[in-house]
């Protein structure tokens, strides 16, 4: 008598599964693991840029966590670790225009490229300016990390 033999001898076993009780901490961990959604990051950045343009100190700080690190590359004294240190940076530059170029989202971070136009005060980022004309126009790359709906590192 001929018997049919399967080509593969692996057996598929189902292991008995234990019932699991879901706790609130499991849900909170799951949300954190999921990351900040791109639409939340976009909304935070929109508020942040609007506050920068208006020199709205409270609005700028509202977009940042209490322990946010701000590291404008090339700026003397950076990185800044306190809100007071950060405000010194914003006193050096006046934003007049910011035009988006591209934005990429990742897990709890985004990379944002913009064309930045404004006026610089003193010697912005080590550059000396003509006292009469201190306009700046350059491409700027923001790399921001998020904790929930606030920026924790830029």
């Amino acid at each position: 008598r001929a018997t049919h033999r399967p080509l593969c001898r692996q057996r598929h076993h189902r292991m008995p599964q234990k019932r699991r009780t879901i706790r609130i901490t499991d849900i909170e961990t799951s949300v954190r693991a999921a990351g900040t959604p791109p639409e939340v990051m976009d909304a935070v950045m929109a508020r942040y840029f609007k506050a920068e343009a208006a020199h709205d100190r409270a609005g700028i700080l509202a977009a940042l966590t209490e322990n946010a690190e701000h590291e404008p590359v090339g700026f003397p004294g950076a990185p800044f670790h306190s809100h007071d240190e950060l405000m010194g940076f914003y006193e050096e530059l006046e934003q007049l225009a910011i035009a988006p170029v591209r934005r990429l989202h990742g897990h709890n971070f985004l990379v944002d490229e913009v064309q930045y136009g404004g006026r610089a005060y003193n010697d912005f980022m080590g550059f000396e300016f003509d006292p009469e004309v201190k306009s700046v126009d350059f491409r700027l790359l923001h790399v921001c990390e998020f904790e929930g709906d606030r920026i924790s590192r830029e």
Side-chain angles (χ1 to χ4, degrees), residues 51-139:
E52 283 182 338
H55 293 280
D56 175 8
R57 179 185 172 116
I60 292 169
L61 297 180
L64 304 172
T65 60
E66 290 298 319
N67 60 345
E69 179 181 329
H70 190 259
E71 186 175 4
V73 176
F75 196 82
F80 306 117
H81 297 283
S82 74
H83 287 179
D84 288 336
E85 288 178 358
L86 178 60
M87 286 300 104
F89 169 75
Y90 283 106
E91 292 170 2
E92 297 291 320
L93 188 64
E94 177 184 0
Q95 176 181 314
L96 297 178
I98 191 164
V101 176
R102 74 178 53 93
R103 181 174 285 173
L104 304 171
H105 298 90
H107 181 78
N108 288 332
F109 75 92
L110 68 74
V111 179
D112 187 61
E113 182 180 0
V114 297
Q115 187 69 32
Y116 192 96
R119 275 195 264 297
Y121 300 98
N122 301 319
D123 295 330
F124 178 68
M125 296 184 76
F127 295 105
E128 294 181 23
F129 292 92
D130 179 322
E132 300 298 316
V133 181
K134 292 189 174 191
S135 63
V136 293
D137 186 49
F138 55 91
R139 286 183 100 151

